[in-house]
């Protein structure tokens, strides 16, 4: 948070420092089925964020006492690589990653048809390889595609992105610089129908600004949904299974 | 928080009650349980508050000690918030390090204090780059009867508002009150079908499974939000919750946190 007196300008001719319009997402790249051993996987870039998601399961729950008799449990582990940020991050879970894991899991669970797989677990692992603000949303996007890739029955995909306030303006998908010096950050996740499954906010917004931020973040989610959908359709509309995935296909069948 | 053992038939009962426009304890949908706030019960703490929200009881203690600043903010004090869900407070709490529910609770309480700018961190600098005041906010849940977020946040700001910086104890001049510049209030609601109900008790929390906490500041801005729980929430409900949250927070602020 900076004071108004510092007058750091985040806009030039109405465009942001990386040339984006206020309502524009960063470039997105999604690849599906990138890991051979995982049942489902996805690599995603959102601007300078690079995240990898893997899904294992449904599989047996360990430790056994976590089993639920009537449904599958979903576990989500969000982890940042120590080299993913400017100053080396101490490896392993911390309080932030614990919270991010919890809210991310809760962003995905509503669409997973867990009652199809009692007493089992669906494990989602998200590794942040490079971070530039918006890693939780990138992780959720990638995890959603990876769940679909793993063939986990879902009501829909989940798409996620943030809106923020920078220099008094509401902007879509803030990058690191904007997030650090911005006035607010509102990450959301939603279904294509507009049901919200993740909503967090920090900073300072009037209720009216919050509404605008939420509306803007929704438009971002809709764009991301189209990309997620296209990537999955492209991947599975052709019958040729890429070589890298032969092994994982075999494993899935043995597992069943 | 929602894994309380409860018969399906009771969940069903509560749900249908809300559809009829009622709550089990007779409250209106946007009505809070009785709030009792006691400040300063812990003499050994630099600031403390006991909050009772209905039967929910939370003790918050603030300790302020000199320490090193973070290297990227050499002239700012430090806030560290922690929450303990001790096993005395609920049959569902277990001993051990904080689980994700406790971590989330602490981080949401922290978000309210931090993002509202309630504490002037620059005023807590002693020697730039070397020594600053570190404010520890420790939330101790004593009895979990629902809505820990609001009770803990209220306890935190109340404890901070009555806290003094123990300068004399460290040979740093005279004690002085901790400068508090804003009064964040957290307001939590859950949705039952088309209804939105505020200040859910444990039963209501376990029926609804998804909560939205909205933290507002004295000027009516929103400074923090958290959706918690494995469900959906509709945009209409979010807006409705934000609107009502601003009103309820204002009342709570006026009633309990008058400076």
């Amino acid at each position: 948070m900076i004071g108004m007196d510092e007058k750091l300008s985040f806009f030039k001719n109405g465009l942001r420092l990386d040339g984006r319009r206020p309502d524009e997402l960063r470039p997105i790249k999604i690849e599906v089925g990138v890991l051979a051993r995982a049942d489902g996987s996805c690599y995603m870039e959102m601007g300078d964020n690079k995240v990898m998601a893997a899904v294992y399961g449904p599989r047996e729950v360990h430790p056994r006492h976590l089993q639920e008799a009537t449904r599958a449990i979903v576990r989500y582990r969000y982890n940042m690589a120590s080299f993913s940020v400017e100053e080396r991050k101490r490896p392993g879970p911390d309080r932030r990653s614990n919270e991010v894991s919890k809210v991310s899991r809760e962003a995905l669970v509503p669409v997973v048809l867990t009652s199809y797989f009692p007493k089992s677990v669906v494990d989602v692992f998200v590794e942040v390889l490079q971070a530039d603000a918006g890693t939780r949303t990138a992780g959720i996007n990638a995890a959603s595609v990876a769940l679909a890739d793993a063939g986990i029955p879902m009501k829909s995909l989940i798409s996620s992105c943030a809106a923020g306030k920078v220099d008094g303006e509401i902007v879509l998908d803030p990058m690191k610089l904007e997030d650090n010096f911005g006035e607010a950050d509102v990450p959301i996740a939603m279904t294509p129908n507009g049901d919200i499954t993740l909503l967090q906010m920090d900073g300072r917004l009037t209720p009216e600004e919050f509404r605008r931020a939420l509306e803007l973040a929704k438009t971002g989610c809709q764009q991301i949904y189209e990309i997620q959908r296209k990537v999955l359709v492209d991947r599975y509309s052709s019958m040729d299974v890429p070589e890298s995935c032969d092994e994982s296909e075999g494993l899935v069948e043995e597992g069943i | 928080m929602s894994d309380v053992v409860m018969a399906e038939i009771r969940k069903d009962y509560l749900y249908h009650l809300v559809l009829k426009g009622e709550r089990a304890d007779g409250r209106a949908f946007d009505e809070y349980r009785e709030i009792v706030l006691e400040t300063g019960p812990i003499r050994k703490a630099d600031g403390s508050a006991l909050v009772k929200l209905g039967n929910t009881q939370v003790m918050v203690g603030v300790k302020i000690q000199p320490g090193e600043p973070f290297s990227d903010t050499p002239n700012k004090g430090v806030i560290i918030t922690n929450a303990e869900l001790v096993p005395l407070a609920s049959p569902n709490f277990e001993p051990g390090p904080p689980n994700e529910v406790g971590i989330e609770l602490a981080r949401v309480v922290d978000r309210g204090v931090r993002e509202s700018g309630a504490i002037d961190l620059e005023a807590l600098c002693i020697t730039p780059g070397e020594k600053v005041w570190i404010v520890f906010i420790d939330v101790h849940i004593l009895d979990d009867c629902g809505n820990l977020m609001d009770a803990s946040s209220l306890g935190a700001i109340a404890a901070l508002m009555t806290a003094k910086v123990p300068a004399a104890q460290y040979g740093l001049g005279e004690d002085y009150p901790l400068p508090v510049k804003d009064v964040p209030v957290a307001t939590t609601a859950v949705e039952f079908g088309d209804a939105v109900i505020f200040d859910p008790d444990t039963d209501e929390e376990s029926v609804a499974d998804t909560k939205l906490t909205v933290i507002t500041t004295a000027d009516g801005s929103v400074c923090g939000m958290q959706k918690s729980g494995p469900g959906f929430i509709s945009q209409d409900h979010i807006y409705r919750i934000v609107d009502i949250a601003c009103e309820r927070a204002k009342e709570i602020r006026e009633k309990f946190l008058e400076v």
Side-chain angles (χ1 to χ4, degrees), chain A residues 135-203:
Chain A
T135 54
R136 79 190 63 189
T137 59
I140 290 167
N141 289 327
S144 163
V145 172
L147 281 164
D149 182 40
I152 307 288
M154 292 191 284
K155 293 177 195 162
S156 71
L157 287 171
I158 291 288
S159 311
S160 179
C161 85
K165 183 181 173 192
V166 177
D167 252 1
E169 270 211 59
I170 305 295
V171 298
L172 185 60
D173 189 21
M175 54 180 172
K176 189 74 195 162
L177 197 62
E178 294 171 326
D179 190 36
N180 280 0
F181 296 100
E183 292 127 79
D185 183 30
V186 185
I188 71 163
M190 63 173 214
T191 65
N193 300 336
D195 283 322
I196 309 277
T197 62
L198 169 95
L199 173 61
Q200 296 183 286
M201 184 254 164
D202 60 45

Side-chain angles (χ1 to χ4, degrees), chain A residues 1 76 87 94-103 105-111 136 155-156 158 183 186 191 194-207 210-212 214-215 218, chain B residues 71 76 80-83 98-101 103-104 106-108 111 115-117 182 212 215 217-235 238-240 242-243 246:
Chain A
M1 310 285 138
Y76 190 109
E87 204 165 314
D94 53 24
R95 285 154 59 98
R96 176 179 171 278
S97 72
N98 262 297
E99 188 208 345
V100 172
S101 297
K102 177 177 188 288
V103 296
R105 185 186 73 233
E106 292 171 348
L108 292 167
V109 166
V111 296
R136 79 190 63 189
K155 293 177 195 162
S156 71
I158 291 288
E183 292 127 79
V186 185
T191 65
D195 283 322
I196 309 277
T197 62
L198 169 95
L199 173 61
Q200 296 183 286
M201 184 254 164
D202 60 45
R204 219 173 166 122
L205 293 175
T206 66
F210 164 69
R211 282 175 188 240
R212 273 165 49 210
L214 184 56
E215 287 296 341
K218 270 184 78 171
Chain B
S71 55
K76 283 186 178 173
I80 295 174
T81 311
N82 188 47
N99 63 4
E100 59 178 20
V101 177
I103 291 170
E104 182 185 38
R107 285 180 58 86
V108 174
R111 192 172 303 159
E115 301 294 332
S116 65
D182 205 326
L212 179 64
I215 312 170
T217 57
D219 67 1
S221 301
V222 183
C223 71
M225 270 194 214
Q226 181 91 340
K227 175 232 164 201
S228 178
F232 302 106
I233 190 153
S234 74
Q235 206 175 336
I238 293 170
Y239 293 153
R240 209 193 305 168
V242 170
D243 288 344
C246 290

Side-chain angles (χ1 to χ4, degrees), chain A residues 36-92:
Chain A
R37 295 300 302 270
D39 297 325
S41 59
C42 176
Y43 171 75
M44 174 158 188
E45 292 181 8
M46 258 172 100
D48 273 340
N49 289 304
K50 298 178 197 291
V51 301
M52 184 79 85
V55 169
Y56 286 86
R59 62 182 179 181
E60 217 174 303
V61 188
H62 293 292
R64 193 78 54 90
H65 68 88
L66 295 176
Q67 259 182 18
E68 292 277 349
T70 59
R71 60 176 182 88
I73 62 165
V74 177
R75 287 187 294 214
Y76 190 109
R77 180 181 191 264
Y78 164 100
N79 186 49
M80 280 181 110
S82 53
F83 49 77
S84 64
V85 277
E86 219 59 56
E87 204 165 314
R88 181 174 185 268
K89 181 199 166 289
R90 235 176 79 180

